[in-house]
Amino acid sequence: MLRSISTRISYIVAAVVIASTLVTLLFTSSTVEEDMTNAQGRTARNTIRMGMLYLQEGYQSLDRYRKHAFDDRRQSIKDSMTIFMSQIDSYYELYKSGKLSEKEAKEAAYKLARNTRYFNNDYFFIYTDKLEALAHPDRTLEGRDLSNLSDINGYAFGPDMIRKATREGGGYVKLLWTRLGEDEPISKILYVKGFSKWKWIIGTGAYVDDIEASVERQKQDLLHDMRKGFSQIRLAETGRLFLFDNDKKVLVPPRGAGPEFAKTLNLKTGNTLIHDLKEVGKLGEWRLDYKVRRQDGEIVRRQSYVHYFAPLGWFVASTVPMKEIYAPVRDLIVKQGAISFIILLLTIGVIYYVIRRICLPIRSVSRVAYHVSQGDLREAKRVFAMATDKGHLKKVVESFETGKEKRFDEVDHLVKSIHTMLLTLNSLVSQVQVSGDQVTGSALKLGTAINQLEAAVENQAAATQELGSSSREISATSQELARTMNESTTVAVSTGELAAQGVHDLGEMGVTMDAMRDASGGIFSKLSVINSKAANISSVVTSISKISEQINLLSLNAAIEAEKAGEFGQGFSVVAREIRKLADQTAMSTLDIEKIVAEMLSAVSAGVMEMDKFRKQVETGVSNVALLGDGISGVVTQVQTLTPRFESVNEGMQNQSEGAEQISKAMIQLSETSIQTKDALTEFVSITEQLSSSVSSLEEEVAAFQVDQD
């Protein structure tokens, strides 16, 4: 027997469920990893955007402070210039009023420019409108042409000073210049204004390094606030934000990072991490995946997002270990795997129970089919009865028997088909066995009748041969008697003796004719028996033909039922084909027997007719012989007086000779008919043996089935 189909289906379903679960876990893992990565990226980008907003606010605050400080500083410079210009005007008025000479007035103005200081050691200077130095705290510059002078950055500020002082009525110029007493140039704002009365350009300026220092302090405060804020921000478990500038200087390192963080190498590119992040930020991208080596030597994968804040030249970046991004994914996969395993066990249990419930009828039906294929219909019925004693199959069979089929599936119809096929096959095989027994009995009876008929035909042939010999002897005797009667006219004297001898011979011939009449009567009766037996054979052949037709019909029904049963009815289909072949052979043999019996009936009927005719002729001959005996007796008594009538007697003898010759011919014909009848009986015996062999084969095939005899 094969393995349980429910077990195999359960294995298949379990394999499918396991495969789908694994595929789902893999798909979920990859999808969730991607989603977690994207989610972490969104979180990092949003956090960086928040940092950028804070930087934007800090920058705007710095920008407002710087702008306000510069505006105040420029206004202060302008106000100082107004005061200084009023003093220069006073000197000019003293010159105009004659209190001071022009030279004295100018010298007073020069002295005032050289000695006046304000704010952070800021000063005034006086140039001609061609930018020749007249008065300057740095006396080394006096008398020099400064029109082509440039600052440390190469900015030639002379033409701008001339334009703003003479044509624009005053203006500001920004440059890098060295503070008095120092060597390093710093940022400075100049305000220049023309004094047309003496064709001067008067200027003053203020160094703004204090403003930049104050801005820088605010930047440091901003960085402090950023450092404090970044320390509170956490991405995943240990992910942090950090800040660096265009010079790759780490302004706010990630919390927990070592002092060598700025030198951390990206093992994928061989560059420093800060370098790669700067390149990514400058390109407008966000994400960078990289590998770094920790202090303990372990290589870890990390993910960073970076954004560039151009106004300050700063980069805000994040760094998160990849394993922390994937940790929730692993936890989720483990939990989902455990849940899937529990669901898998429950699913397999439920599916096995359901499939077992579905496959139990199939298993029972397969056992029934197995016993049927082995020819044990009795055991098959017992197994089917045990399977249908209780449960769903009992309801199915009862519903089929009552004709109420509702909501039945293919298995239920298979049970119905097997049940119907089992009943039909059992009935078919039982009928075939009974029919085989009947055919066997008929064949035995037919064989006995044929043997009897064969013996009778042999006796008839022997009697016919004897009768033929007697007829030939009679014919020869009649011819000889005719010749004798021809000679009787010359030997009338010996007629008495011959007549006496003739009377004696006629007595013997009468006995012979009586025997011939009795033999012909026996032959006639035996031929009648043969005719009746042949008629019986015809009826037996008809019965065999009907039986073969019934067997053929039953085998056809069995083949139809086996075809309905599908693969379970293949064994029945083979048996049905064999039964149909045997039925066809029986039908063919029956047709041959019927043909031979018909020929035999025809021959026997002809023999009966000929024998009846011969019997009548024999009876006529017996009568003639009796009359002849009476005549001869009269001849014996009146032989002396009947000599003249020998001619008429001679004529009668001639007629008797001709009748004897006709009898001889009829006996020859009867002998030939008997031979043909014997040959036909021999052929009929062969056909009967073939029929008996076919019936034996059929019985052997059917004997393989064990059926219940109802």
Side-chain angles (χ1 to χ4, degrees), residues 517-666:
R517 182 181 60 189
D518 295 334
S520 62
I523 291 171
F524 181 80
S525 63
K526 290 179 178 179
L527 287 175
S528 298
V529 172
I530 291 172
N531 192 16
S532 63
K533 294 296 185 179
N536 291 333
I537 292 172
S538 179
S539 63
V540 171
V541 169
T542 303
S543 298
I544 293 173
S545 179
K546 291 181 179 180
I547 290 170
S548 64
E549 291 177 356
Q550 187 177 8
I551 291 173
N552 200 354
L553 180 60
L554 292 173
S555 64
L556 179 60
N557 291 332
I560 292 173
E561 293 299 327
E563 189 68 19
K564 290 180 180 179
E567 63 178 358
F568 298 101
Q570 292 180 359
F572 309 134
S573 179
V574 173
V575 173
R577 286 197 297 270
E578 293 298 327
I579 292 173
R580 188 163 61 250
K581 288 180 182 179
L582 292 174
D584 293 337
Q585 292 177 2
T586 303
M588 293 176 62
S589 301
T590 304
L591 291 175
D592 294 335
I593 293 171
E594 188 175 3
K595 181 178 178 182
I596 292 170
V597 168
E599 292 176 355
M600 186 181 73
L601 282 173
S602 177
V604 170
S605 296
V608 169
M609 291 174 64
E610 292 294 331
M611 184 55 68
D612 185 65
K613 182 178 179 181
F614 173 74
R615 183 176 59 80
K616 290 179 181 179
Q617 290 177 355
V618 169
E619 288 177 355
T620 302
V622 170
S623 299
N624 291 332
V625 169
L627 292 174
L628 181 60
D630 293 338
I632 292 175
S633 297
V635 170
V636 171
T637 60
Q638 298 179 4
V639 69
Q640 298 298 327
T641 62
L642 295 177
T643 301
R645 297 181 181 178
F646 274 131
E647 292 182 358
S648 60
V649 174
N650 186 29
E651 184 178 356
M653 291 303 295
Q654 290 292 337
N655 292 332
Q656 183 69 28
S657 177
E658 291 176 359
E661 187 175 357
Q662 291 178 357
I663 291 172
S664 178
K665 291 180 180 179

Side-chain angles (χ1 to χ4, degrees), residues 477-539:
T477 304
S478 297
Q479 291 176 2
E480 185 66 28
L481 182 58
R483 287 191 298 270
T484 303
M485 289 304 294
N486 289 329
E487 295 174 356
S488 298
T489 55
T490 59
V491 289
V493 179
S494 60
T495 300
E497 296 177 357
L498 292 173
Q501 184 67 33
V503 171
H504 178 70
D505 292 332
L506 283 174
E508 292 180 354
M509 185 177 68
V511 174
T512 302
M513 291 299 288
D514 290 334
M516 184 182 295
R517 182 181 60 189
D518 295 334
S520 62
I523 291 171
F524 181 80
S525 63
K526 290 179 178 179
L527 287 175
S528 298
V529 172
I530 291 172
N531 192 16
S532 63
K533 294 296 185 179
N536 291 333
I537 292 172
S538 179
S539 63

